[in-house]
């Protein structure tokens, strides 16, 4: 079947790396790039740490609207299959 939705939805799972999940093994395949090795959120402690690791799965043309990441964080992305496009705006863009 062809995907014809105007805005296809995707799965956004922040619990995929929990100790009890089989999907935790995916962490063995990836490590943060060197420039992101320092994890400043570690100093907050696990109780105050915001969500920081997600896996997203979606069909062709799925994605998100313009947004600011939670807690104004920055992220690195790995595309396992397909492709992802970003639109970046310079600071101060209204």
């Amino acid at each position: 079947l062809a995907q014809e939705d105007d805005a296809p939805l995707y799965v956004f799972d922040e619990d995929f790396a929990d100790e009890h999940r089989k999907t935790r093994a995916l962490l063995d395949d990836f490590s943060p790039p060197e420039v992101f090795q320092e994890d400043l959120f570690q100093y907050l402690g696990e109780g105050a740490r915001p969500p920081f690791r997600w896996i997203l799965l979606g069909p062709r043309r799925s994605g998100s609207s313009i947004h600011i990441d939670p807690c104004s964080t920055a992220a690195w992305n790995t595309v396992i299959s397909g492709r992802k496009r970003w639109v970046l705006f310079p600071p101060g863009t209204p």
Side-chain angles (χ1 to χ4, degrees):
L1 295 174
Q3 174 56 261
E4 296 183 20
D5 292 346
D6 287 337
L9 300 176
Y10 58 98
V11 175
F12 194 96
D13 184 0
E14 68 183 49
D15 300 321
F16 83 98
D18 286 357
E19 303 253 345
H20 66 282
R21 302 276 303 268
K22 290 180 182 179
T23 50
R24 183 171 177 81
L26 292 169
L27 292 179
D28 296 337
D29 294 330
F30 301 96
S31 60
E34 188 174 325
V35 297
F36 294 117
Q37 289 292 318
E38 185 177 15
D39 177 10
L40 299 177
F41 284 125
Q42 70 181 330
Y43 301 114
L44 295 176
E46 289 305 313
R49 178 188 203 105
F52 68 103
R53 185 167 40 204
W54 304 273
I55 187 166
L56 288 76
L57 305 169
R60 186 175 283 193
R61 299 185 313 100
S62 61
S64 65
S65 59
I66 294 175
H67 66 278
I68 296 174
D69 285 348
C71 301
S72 296
T73 59
W76 64 277
N77 291 256
T78 298
V79 177
I80 298 171
S81 177
R83 65 180 174 204
K84 179 176 175 69
R85 295 180 182 171
W86 289 267
V87 176
L88 305 175
F89 297 96
T93 301

Coordinates of all heavy atoms in Angstrom, one line a residue:
L1 N 0.8 -1.2 0.0 CA 0.0 0.0 0.0 C 0.9 1.2 0.0 O 1.8 1.3 0.7 CB -0.9 0.0 1.2 CG -1.9 -1.1 1.3 CD1 -2.6 -1.0 2.7 CD2 -2.9 -1.0 0.2
A2 N 0.5 2.2 -0.8 CA 1.2 3.5 -0.8 C 0.8 4.4 0.3 O -0.3 4.4 0.7 CB 1.0 4.2 -2.1
Q3 N 1.8 5.1 0.9 CA 1.5 6.0 2.0 C 1.0 7.3 1.4 O 1.7 7.9 0.6 CB 2.8 6.3 2.7 CG 2.8 7.3 3.8 CD 1.7 7.0 4.8 OE1 0.6 7.6 4.8 NE2 2.0 6.2 5.8
E4 N -0.2 7.7 1.7 CA -0.8 8.9 1.2 C -1.3 9.9 2.2 O -1.8 10.9 1.8 CB -2.0 8.5 0.3 CG -1.6 7.7 -0.9 CD -2.8 7.3 -1.8 OE1 -3.8 8.0 -1.8 OE2 -2.6 6.4 -2.6
D5 N -1.0 9.7 3.5 CA -1.3 10.7 4.5 C -0.6 12.0 4.3 O 0.6 12.0 3.9 CB -1.0 10.1 5.9 CG -1.9 9.0 6.3 OD1 -2.9 8.7 5.7 OD2 -1.5 8.3 7.3
D6 N -1.2 13.1 4.6 CA -0.6 14.4 4.5 C 0.5 14.5 5.5 O 1.5 15.2 5.3 CB -1.6 15.5 4.7 CG -2.5 15.7 3.5 OD1 -2.1 15.2 2.4 OD2 -3.6 16.2 3.7
A7 N 0.3 14.0 6.7 CA 1.3 14.1 7.8 C 1.4 12.7 8.5 O 0.8 12.6 9.6 CB 0.9 15.2 8.7
P8 N 2.1 11.8 7.9 CA 2.2 10.4 8.5 C 2.8 10.5 9.9 O 3.7 11.3 10.2 CB 3.1 9.6 7.6 CG 3.2 10.5 6.4 CD 2.9 11.9 6.7
L9 N 2.3 9.7 10.8 CA 2.7 9.6 12.2 C 3.9 8.7 12.3 O 4.2 7.8 11.4 CB 1.6 9.1 13.1 CG 0.4 10.0 13.2 CD1 -0.7 9.3 14.0 CD2 0.7 11.4 13.7
Y10 N 4.7 8.8 13.3 CA 5.8 7.9 13.6 C 5.9 7.6 15.1 O 5.3 8.3 15.9 CB 7.1 8.5 13.1 CG 7.6 9.8 13.7 CD1 8.5 9.9 14.7 CD2 7.1 11.0 13.2 CE1 8.9 11.1 15.3 CE2 7.5 12.2 13.7 CZ 8.4 12.3 14.7 OH 8.8 13.5 15.2
V11 N 6.5 6.5 15.4 CA 6.7 6.0 16.8 C 7.8 6.7 17.4 O 8.9 6.8 16.8 CB 6.9 4.5 16.8 CG1 7.2 4.0 18.2 CG2 5.7 3.7 16.2
F12 N 7.6 7.3 18.6 CA 8.6 8.0 19.3 C 8.8 7.3 20.6 O 7.9 7.5 21.5 CB 8.1 9.4 19.5 CG 9.1 10.5 19.9 CD1 9.8 11.2 19.0 CD2 9.4 10.7 21.2 CE1 10.7 12.2 19.3 CE2 10.3 11.6 21.6 CZ 10.9 12.4 20.7
D13 N 9.9 6.5 20.8 CA 10.0 5.7 22.0 C 11.2 6.1 22.9 O 12.3 6.0 22.4 CB 10.1 4.2 21.6 CG 10.2 3.3 22.8 OD1 10.2 3.7 24.0 OD2 10.3 2.1 22.5
E14 N 10.9 6.7 24.0 CA 12.0 7.1 24.9 C 12.5 6.1 25.9 O 13.4 6.2 26.6 CB 11.7 8.4 25.6 CG 10.6 8.3 26.7 CD 10.3 9.6 27.3 OE1 10.0 10.6 26.6 OE2 10.2 9.6 28.6
D15 N 11.8 4.9 25.9 CA 12.1 3.8 26.8 C 12.8 2.7 26.2 O 13.0 1.6 26.8 CB 10.7 3.3 27.5 CG 10.0 4.4 28.2 OD1 10.7 5.2 28.9 OD2 8.8 4.5 28.1
F16 N 13.2 2.8 24.9 CA 13.7 1.6 24.2 C 15.0 1.1 24.9 O 15.4 0.0 24.7 CB 14.0 2.0 22.7 CG 15.3 2.7 22.5 CD1 16.4 2.0 22.1 CD2 15.4 4.0 22.7 CE1 17.6 2.6 21.9 CE2 16.6 4.7 22.5 CZ 17.7 4.0 22.1
A17 N 15.7 2.0 25.6 CA 17.0 1.6 26.2 C 16.9 1.2 27.7 O 17.9 0.9 28.3 CB 18.0 2.7 26.1
D18 N 15.6 1.1 28.2 CA 15.5 0.6 29.6 C 16.0 -0.8 29.8 O 16.0 -1.6 28.9 CB 14.0 0.6 30.0 CG 13.4 2.0 30.2 OD1 14.2 3.0 30.1 OD2 12.2 2.1 30.4
E19 N 16.5 -1.0 31.0 CA 17.2 -2.3 31.3 C 16.4 -3.5 30.9 O 16.9 -4.5 30.5 CB 17.5 -2.3 32.8 CG 18.4 -1.2 33.2 CD 19.8 -1.6 33.5 OE1 20.1 -2.8 33.7 OE2 20.6 -0.7 33.6
H20 N 15.0 -3.5 31.1 CA 14.2 -4.7 30.9 C 13.8 -4.9 29.5 O 13.1 -5.8 29.2 CB 12.9 -4.5 31.8 CG 12.1 -3.4 31.4 ND1 12.3 -2.1 31.7 CD2 10.9 -3.4 30.7 CE1 11.4 -1.3 31.2 NE2 10.5 -2.1 30.6
R21 N 14.1 -4.0 28.5 CA 13.7 -4.0 27.2 C 14.7 -4.8 26.3 O 15.9 -4.6 26.4 CB 13.4 -2.6 26.6 CG 12.5 -1.7 27.3 CD 11.0 -2.0 27.0 NE 10.7 -1.8 25.6 CZ 10.4 -0.6 25.0 NH1 10.2 0.5 25.7 NH2 10.1 -0.6 23.7
K22 N 14.2 -5.6 25.4 CA 15.1 -6.3 24.4 C 15.7 -5.3 23.5 O 16.8 -5.6 23.0 CB 14.2 -7.3 23.6 CG 13.8 -8.5 24.4 CD 13.0 -9.5 23.5 CE 12.5 -10.6 24.4 NZ 11.7 -11.6 23.5
T23 N 15.1 -4.2 23.2 CA 15.6 -3.2 22.3 C 16.9 -2.5 22.9 O 17.6 -1.8 22.2 CB 14.6 -2.2 22.0 OG1 14.0 -1.7 23.2 CG2 13.5 -2.8 21.1
R24 N 17.2 -2.7 24.2 CA 18.3 -2.1 24.8 C 19.6 -2.5 24.1 O 20.6 -1.7 24.0 CB 18.5 -2.5 26.3 CG 19.6 -1.8 27.0 CD 19.6 -2.0 28.5 NE 20.8 -1.5 29.1 CZ 20.9 -0.2 29.4 NH1 19.9 0.7 29.2 NH2 22.0 0.3 30.0
A25 N 19.6 -3.7 23.4 CA 20.8 -4.1 22.7 C 21.2 -3.2 21.6 O 22.3 -3.2 21.1 CB 20.6 -5.5 22.2
L26 N 20.2 -2.3 21.1 CA 20.6 -1.4 20.1 C 21.7 -0.4 20.5 O 22.4 0.2 19.7 CB 19.3 -0.6 19.7 CG 18.2 -1.4 19.0 CD1 17.0 -0.5 18.9 CD2 18.7 -1.8 17.6
L27 N 21.8 -0.2 21.8 CA 22.8 0.7 22.3 C 24.2 0.2 22.0 O 25.2 1.0 21.9 CB 22.7 0.9 23.9 CG 21.4 1.7 24.3 CD1 21.4 1.7 25.9 CD2 21.3 3.0 23.7
D28 N 24.4 -1.1 21.8 CA 25.7 -1.6 21.5 C 26.2 -1.2 20.1 O 27.3 -1.3 19.8 CB 25.7 -3.2 21.6 CG 25.4 -3.6 23.0 OD1 25.6 -2.9 24.0 OD2 24.9 -4.8 23.2
D29 N 25.2 -0.8 19.3 CA 25.6 -0.5 17.9 C 25.9 1.0 17.7 O 26.4 1.4 16.6 CB 24.4 -0.8 17.0 CG 24.1 -2.3 16.9 OD1 25.1 -3.1 17.1 OD2 23.0 -2.7 16.7
F30 N 25.7 1.8 18.7 CA 26.0 3.3 18.6 C 26.6 3.8 19.8 O 26.5 3.4 20.9 CB 24.6 4.0 18.4 CG 23.9 3.5 17.2 CD1 22.9 2.6 17.3 CD2 24.2 4.0 15.9 CE1 22.2 2.1 16.2 CE2 23.5 3.6 14.8 CZ 22.5 2.6 14.9
S31 N 27.4 4.9 19.5 CA 28.0 5.6 20.6 C 28.0 7.1 20.2 O 28.1 7.4 19.0 CB 29.4 5.2 21.0 OG 30.3 5.3 19.9
P32 N 27.9 8.0 21.1 CA 27.9 9.4 20.8 C 29.2 9.8 20.1 O 30.3 9.4 20.5 CB 27.7 10.1 22.1 CG 27.2 9.1 23.0 CD 27.7 7.8 22.6
P33 N 29.1 10.7 19.1 CA 30.3 11.2 18.5 C 31.2 11.9 19.5 O 30.7 12.3 20.6 CB 29.8 12.3 17.5 CG 28.3 11.9 17.2 CD 27.9 11.3 18.5
E34 N 32.4 12.0 19.3 CA 33.4 12.5 20.3 C 33.0 13.9 20.8 O 33.1 14.2 22.0 CB 34.8 12.6 19.6 CG 35.9 13.0 20.6 CD 37.2 13.0 20.0 OE1 37.5 12.1 19.1 OE2 38.1 13.8 20.3
V35 N 32.4 14.8 20.0 CA 32.1 16.1 20.4 C 30.9 16.1 21.4 O 30.7 17.1 22.1 CB 31.7 17.1 19.3 CG1 32.9 17.3 18.4 CG2 30.5 16.6 18.5
F36 N 30.2 15.0 21.5 CA 29.1 14.9 22.5 C 29.4 13.9 23.6 O 28.5 13.5 24.3 CB 27.8 14.4 21.8 CG 27.3 15.4 20.8 CD1 27.2 15.0 19.4 CD2 26.8 16.6 21.2 CE1 26.7 15.9 18.5 CE2 26.3 17.5 20.3 CZ 26.3 17.2 18.9
Q37 N 30.6 13.5 23.8 CA 31.0 12.5 24.8 C 30.7 13.1 26.2 O 30.3 12.3 27.1 CB 32.4 12.2 24.7 CG 32.8 11.3 23.5 CD 32.2 9.9 23.6 OE1 32.1 9.3 24.6 NE2 31.6 9.5 22.5
E38 N 30.9 14.4 26.5 CA 30.6 14.9 27.8 C 29.1 15.0 28.0 O 28.4 15.7 27.3 CB 31.3 16.2 28.0 CG 31.2 16.7 29.4 CD 31.9 18.1 29.7 OE1 32.3 18.7 28.7 OE2 32.1 18.4 30.8
D39 N 28.6 14.4 29.1 CA 27.2 14.4 29.3 C 26.9 15.2 30.6 O 27.0 14.8 31.7 CB 26.7 12.9 29.6 CG 25.3 12.8 30.0 OD1 24.5 13.8 29.8 OD2 24.8 11.7 30.4
L40 N 26.5 16.5 30.4 CA 26.3 17.4 31.5 C 25.1 17.1 32.3 O 25.0 17.4 33.5 CB 26.2 18.9 30.9 CG 27.5 19.4 30.2 CD1 27.3 20.8 29.7 CD2 28.7 19.3 31.1
F41 N 24.1 16.4 31.7 CA 22.9 16.0 32.4 C 23.3 14.9 33.5 O 22.5 14.8 34.5 CB 21.9 15.4 31.5 CG 21.1 16.5 30.8 CD1 21.0 16.4 29.4 CD2 20.5 17.6 31.4 CE1 20.4 17.4 28.7 CE2 19.9 18.5 30.7 CZ 19.8 18.5 29.3
Q42 N 24.4 14.3 33.4 CA 24.7 13.3 34.5 C 24.9 13.9 35.8 O 24.6 13.3 36.9 CB 26.1 12.6 34.1 CG 27.3 13.5 34.2 CD 28.6 12.8 33.9 OE1 28.7 11.6 34.0 NE2 29.5 13.5 33.3
Y43 N 25.2 15.2 35.9 CA 25.3 15.9 37.2 C 24.0 16.2 37.8 O 24.0 16.6 39.0 CB 26.1 17.2 37.0 CG 27.5 16.9 36.4 CD1 27.8 17.3 35.1 CD2 28.4 16.2 37.1 CE1 29.1 17.0 34.6 CE2 29.7 15.9 36.5 CZ 30.0 16.3 35.3 OH 31.2 16.0 34.7
L44 N 22.9 16.1 37.1 CA 21.6 16.3 37.7 C 21.1 15.1 38.6 O 20.3 15.3 39.4 CB 20.5 16.6 36.6 CG 20.7 17.8 35.8 CD1 19.6 17.9 34.7 CD2 20.6 19.1 36.7
G45 N 21.7 13.9 38.3 CA 21.2 12.7 38.9 C 20.0 12.1 38.1 O 19.4 12.8 37.4
E46 N 19.8 10.9 38.3 CA 18.8 10.2 37.5 C 17.4 10.7 37.7 O 16.6 10.7 36.8 CB 18.9 8.7 37.7 CG 20.1 8.0 37.0 CD 20.3 8.3 35.5 OE1 19.3 8.2 34.8 OE2 21.4 8.7 35.1
G47 N 17.1 11.1 38.9 CA 15.7 11.6 39.2 C 15.4 12.9 38.5 O 14.2 13.2 38.1
A48 N 16.4 13.8 38.2 CA 16.1 15.1 37.6 C 16.5 15.1 36.1 O 16.2 16.1 35.5 CB 16.9 16.1 38.4
R49 N 17.1 14.0 35.6 CA 17.6 14.0 34.3 C 16.4 14.0 33.3 O 15.5 13.2 33.4 CB 18.4 12.8 34.0 CG 18.9 12.6 32.6 CD 19.5 11.2 32.5 NE 20.4 11.3 31.3 CZ 21.7 11.4 31.4 NH1 22.3 11.3 32.5 NH2 22.4 11.5 30.3
P50 N 16.4 14.9 32.3 CA 15.3 14.9 31.3 C 15.5 13.7 30.4 O 16.6 13.1 30.3 CB 15.4 16.2 30.6 CG 16.9 16.5 30.7 CD 17.3 16.0 32.1
P51 N 14.4 13.3 29.6 CA 14.6 12.2 28.6 C 15.8 12.6 27.7 O 15.9 13.8 27.3 CB 13.3 12.2 27.9 CG 12.3 12.7 28.9 CD 13.1 13.7 29.7
F52 N 16.6 11.7 27.3 CA 17.8 12.1 26.5 C 18.1 11.1 25.4 O 19.0 11.3 24.6 CB 19.0 12.2 27.4 CG 19.5 10.9 28.0 CD1 20.6 10.3 27.5 CD2 18.9 10.4 29.1 CE1 21.1 9.1 28.0 CE2 19.4 9.2 29.6 CZ 20.5 8.6 29.1
R53 N 17.3 10.0 25.3 CA 17.6 9.0 24.3 C 16.3 8.5 23.7 O 15.4 8.1 24.5 CB 18.4 7.9 25.0 CG 18.9 6.8 24.2 CD 19.9 6.0 24.9 NE 19.6 5.7 26.3 CZ 20.5 5.4 27.2 NH1 21.8 5.3 26.9 NH2 20.2 5.1 28.5
W54 N 16.2 8.5 22.4 CA 14.9 8.1 21.8 C 15.2 7.3 20.5 O 16.3 7.4 19.9 CB 14.1 9.3 21.3 CG 13.8 10.2 22.4 CD1 12.7 10.2 23.2 CD2 14.5 11.4 22.7 NE1 12.7 11.3 24.1 CE2 13.8 12.1 23.8 CE3 15.6 12.0 22.2 CZ2 14.2 13.2 24.3 CZ3 16.1 13.2 22.8 CH2 15.4 13.8 23.9
I55 N 14.3 6.4 20.1 CA 14.3 5.8 18.8 C 13.0 6.2 18.1 O 11.9 6.2 18.8 CB 14.5 4.3 18.9 CG1 14.7 3.7 17.5 CG2 13.4 3.6 19.6 CD1 15.2 2.3 17.5
L56 N 13.1 6.6 16.9 CA 11.9 7.0 16.1 C 11.8 6.1 14.9 O 12.8 5.9 14.2 CB 12.1 8.5 15.7 CG 11.9 9.5 16.8 CD1 13.1 9.6 17.6 CD2 11.6 10.9 16.2
L57 N 10.6 5.7 14.6 CA 10.4 4.8 13.5 C 9.2 5.4 12.7 O 8.1 5.7 13.4 CB 10.0 3.4 13.9 CG 11.1 2.7 14.8 CD1 10.5 1.4 15.3 CD2 12.3 2.4 14.0
G58 N 9.3 5.5 11.4 CA 8.2 6.1 10.7 C 8.2 5.8 9.2 O 9.3 5.4 8.7
P59 N 7.1 5.9 8.6 CA 7.1 5.7 7.1 C 7.6 6.9 6.4 O 7.9 7.9 6.9 CB 5.6 5.5 6.9 CG 4.9 6.4 7.9 CD 5.8 6.3 9.1
R60 N 7.7 6.7 5.1 CA 8.1 7.8 4.2 C 7.3 9.0 4.5 O 6.1 9.0 4.7 CB 7.9 7.3 2.8 CG 8.4 8.2 1.7 CD 8.2 7.5 0.4 NE 9.3 6.5 0.2 CZ 9.6 5.9 -0.9 NH1 8.9 6.1 -2.0 NH2 10.6 5.0 -0.9
R61 N 7.9 10.2 4.4 CA 7.4 11.5 4.6 C 6.9 11.8 6.0 O 6.3 12.8 6.3 CB 6.2 11.7 3.6 CG 6.6 11.7 2.2 CD 5.5 12.0 1.2 NE 4.2 11.4 1.4 CZ 3.1 12.0 2.0 NH1 3.2 13.2 2.4 NH2 2.0 11.3 2.1
S62 N 7.2 11.0 7.0 CA 6.9 11.3 8.4 C 7.9 12.2 8.9 O 9.0 12.4 8.4 CB 6.8 10.0 9.2 OG 8.0 9.3 9.3
G63 N 7.5 12.9 10.0 CA 8.4 13.9 10.6 C 7.8 14.7 11.6 O 6.7 14.4 12.0
S64 N 8.4 15.8 12.0 CA 7.9 16.7 13.0 C 7.7 18.1 12.5 O 8.3 18.4 11.5 CB 8.8 16.7 14.3 OG 10.0 17.3 14.0
S65 N 6.9 18.9 13.2 CA 6.8 20.3 12.8 C 7.9 21.1 13.4 O 8.8 20.5 14.2 CB 5.4 20.8 13.3 OG 5.4 20.7 14.7
I66 N 8.0 22.3 13.1 CA 9.1 23.2 13.6 C 8.9 23.1 15.2 O 7.8 23.3 15.7 CB 8.9 24.6 13.1 CG1 9.2 24.6 11.6 CG2 9.8 25.6 13.9 CD1 9.0 26.0 11.0
H67 N 10.1 22.9 15.8 CA 10.0 22.8 17.3 C 11.4 23.1 17.9 O 12.4 23.2 17.1 CB 9.6 21.4 17.7 CG 10.6 20.4 17.3 ND1 10.7 19.8 16.1 CD2 11.6 19.8 18.0 CE1 11.7 18.9 16.0 NE2 12.3 18.9 17.2
I68 N 11.5 23.3 19.2 CA 12.7 23.4 19.9 C 12.7 22.1 20.8 O 11.7 21.7 21.4 CB 12.7 24.6 20.9 CG1 12.7 25.9 20.0 CG2 13.9 24.6 21.8 CD1 12.5 27.2 20.8
D69 N 13.9 21.4 20.8 CA 14.0 20.2 21.5 C 13.7 20.4 23.0 O 13.9 21.5 23.5 CB 15.4 19.6 21.3 CG 15.6 19.0 19.9 OD1 14.6 18.8 19.2 OD2 16.7 18.7 19.6
P70 N 13.3 19.3 23.7 CA 13.0 19.4 25.1 C 14.1 19.9 25.9 O 15.3 19.6 25.7 CB 12.7 17.9 25.5 CG 12.3 17.2 24.2 CD 13.1 17.9 23.1
C71 N 13.8 20.8 26.8 CA 14.9 21.5 27.7 C 15.9 22.2 26.8 O 17.0 22.4 27.3 CB 15.5 20.4 28.6 SG 14.4 19.6 29.6
S72 N 15.6 22.6 25.6 CA 16.5 23.3 24.7 C 17.8 22.5 24.5 O 18.9 23.1 24.4 CB 16.8 24.7 25.2 OG 15.6 25.5 25.2
T73 N 17.7 21.2 24.5 CA 18.9 20.4 24.3 C 19.3 20.4 22.9 O 18.6 20.8 22.0 CB 18.6 18.9 24.8 OG1 17.5 18.4 24.0 CG2 18.3 18.9 26.3
A74 N 20.5 19.8 22.6 CA 21.0 19.6 21.3 C 21.1 18.0 21.2 O 21.1 17.3 22.2 CB 22.3 20.2 21.1
A75 N 21.0 17.5 19.9 CA 21.0 16.1 19.8 C 21.9 15.7 18.6 O 22.2 16.5 17.7 CB 19.6 15.6 19.5
W76 N 22.3 14.4 18.6 CA 22.9 13.9 17.4 C 21.9 12.8 16.9 O 21.2 12.2 17.7 CB 24.3 13.3 17.7 CG 24.4 12.2 18.7 CD1 24.4 12.3 20.0 CD2 24.5 10.8 18.4 NE1 24.5 11.1 20.6 CE2 24.6 10.1 19.6 CE3 24.5 10.1 17.2 CZ2 24.7 8.7 19.7 CZ3 24.6 8.7 17.3 CH2 24.7 8.1 18.5
N77 N 21.9 12.6 15.6 CA 21.0 11.7 15.0 C 21.7 10.6 14.2 O 22.7 10.9 13.5 CB 20.0 12.4 14.1 CG 19.1 13.3 14.8 OD1 17.9 13.0 14.9 ND2 19.6 14.5 15.3
T78 N 21.2 9.4 14.1 CA 21.7 8.4 13.3 C 20.5 7.9 12.5 O 19.4 7.5 13.0 CB 22.2 7.2 14.1 OG1 23.4 7.7 14.8 CG2 22.7 6.1 13.2
V79 N 20.6 7.8 11.2 CA 19.6 7.3 10.3 C 19.9 5.9 10.0 O 21.0 5.6 9.4 CB 19.4 8.2 9.0 CG1 18.4 7.6 8.1 CG2 19.0 9.6 9.4
I80 N 19.1 4.9 10.3 CA 19.4 3.5 10.1 C 19.0 3.1 8.7 O 19.6 2.3 8.0 CB 18.7 2.6 11.2 CG1 19.2 3.0 12.6 CG2 18.9 1.2 10.9 CD1 18.5 2.4 13.7
S81 N 17.8 3.6 8.3 CA 17.3 3.3 7.0 C 16.5 4.5 6.4 O 15.9 5.2 7.2 CB 16.4 2.1 7.1 OG 15.8 1.8 5.8
G82 N 16.7 4.7 5.1 CA 16.0 5.9 4.5 C 16.8 7.1 4.6 O 18.0 7.1 4.7
R83 N 16.1 8.3 4.7 CA 16.9 9.5 4.8 C 16.0 10.5 5.7 O 14.8 10.4 5.8 CB 17.2 10.1 3.5 CG 15.9 10.5 2.7 CD 16.3 11.1 1.4 NE 15.1 11.3 0.6 CZ 15.1 11.4 -0.7 NH1 16.2 11.2 -1.4 NH2 14.0 11.6 -1.3
K84 N 16.7 11.5 6.2 CA 16.1 12.5 7.1 C 16.6 13.8 6.6 O 17.8 14.0 6.2 CB 16.5 12.3 8.5 CG 16.0 13.3 9.5 CD 16.4 13.0 10.9 CE 15.9 14.1 11.9 NZ 14.5 14.2 12.1
R85 N 15.7 14.8 6.5 CA 16.1 16.1 6.1 C 15.8 17.1 7.2 O 14.8 17.0 7.9 CB 15.3 16.5 4.9 CG 15.6 15.7 3.7 CD 14.8 16.1 2.5 NE 15.1 15.3 1.4 CZ 14.4 15.3 0.3 NH1 13.4 16.1 0.1 NH2 14.7 14.5 -0.7
W86 N 16.6 18.1 7.4 CA 16.5 19.1 8.4 C 16.4 20.4 7.8 O 16.9 20.7 6.7 CB 17.7 19.2 9.4 CG 17.8 18.0 10.3 CD1 17.4 17.9 11.6 CD2 18.5 16.8 10.0 NE1 17.7 16.7 12.1 CE2 18.4 16.0 11.2 CE3 19.2 16.3 8.9 CZ2 19.0 14.7 11.3 CZ3 19.8 15.0 9.0 CH2 19.7 14.3 10.2
V87 N 15.7 21.3 8.4 CA 15.7 22.7 8.0 C 16.2 23.5 9.2 O 15.6 23.4 10.3 CB 14.2 23.2 7.6 CG1 14.3 24.7 7.3 CG2 13.7 22.5 6.4
L88 N 17.3 24.2 9.1 CA 17.9 24.9 10.2 C 17.7 26.4 10.0 O 17.9 26.9 8.9 CB 19.4 24.5 10.3 CG 19.7 23.0 10.4 CD1 21.2 22.8 10.4 CD2 19.0 22.4 11.7
F89 N 17.4 27.1 11.1 CA 17.3 28.5 11.0 C 18.4 29.2 11.9 O 18.7 28.6 12.9 CB 15.9 28.9 11.6 CG 14.8 28.4 10.7 CD1 14.1 27.3 11.1 CD2 14.3 29.1 9.6 CE1 13.0 26.8 10.3 CE2 13.3 28.6 8.8 CZ 12.6 27.4 9.2
P90 N 18.9 30.3 11.4 CA 19.9 31.0 12.2 C 19.3 31.5 13.6 O 18.1 31.8 13.6 CB 20.4 32.1 11.4 CG 19.4 32.3 10.3 CD 18.6 31.0 10.2
P91 N 20.2 31.6 14.6 CA 19.7 32.2 15.9 C 19.0 33.5 15.6 O 19.4 34.3 14.8 CB 21.0 32.4 16.7 CG 21.9 31.4 16.1 CD 21.6 31.3 14.6
G92 N 18.0 33.8 16.4 CA 17.3 35.1 16.3 C 16.2 35.1 15.3 O 15.5 36.1 15.1
T93 N 16.0 34.0 14.5 CA 14.9 33.9 13.5 C 13.6 33.9 14.3 O 13.4 33.1 15.2 CB 15.0 32.6 12.7 OG1 16.3 32.6 12.0 CG2 13.9 32.5 11.7
P94 N 12.7 34.8 13.9 CA 11.4 34.9 14.6 C 10.5 33.7 14.3 O 10.6 33.0 13.4 CB 10.7 36.1 14.1 CG 11.5 36.5 12.9 CD 12.8 35.8 12.9

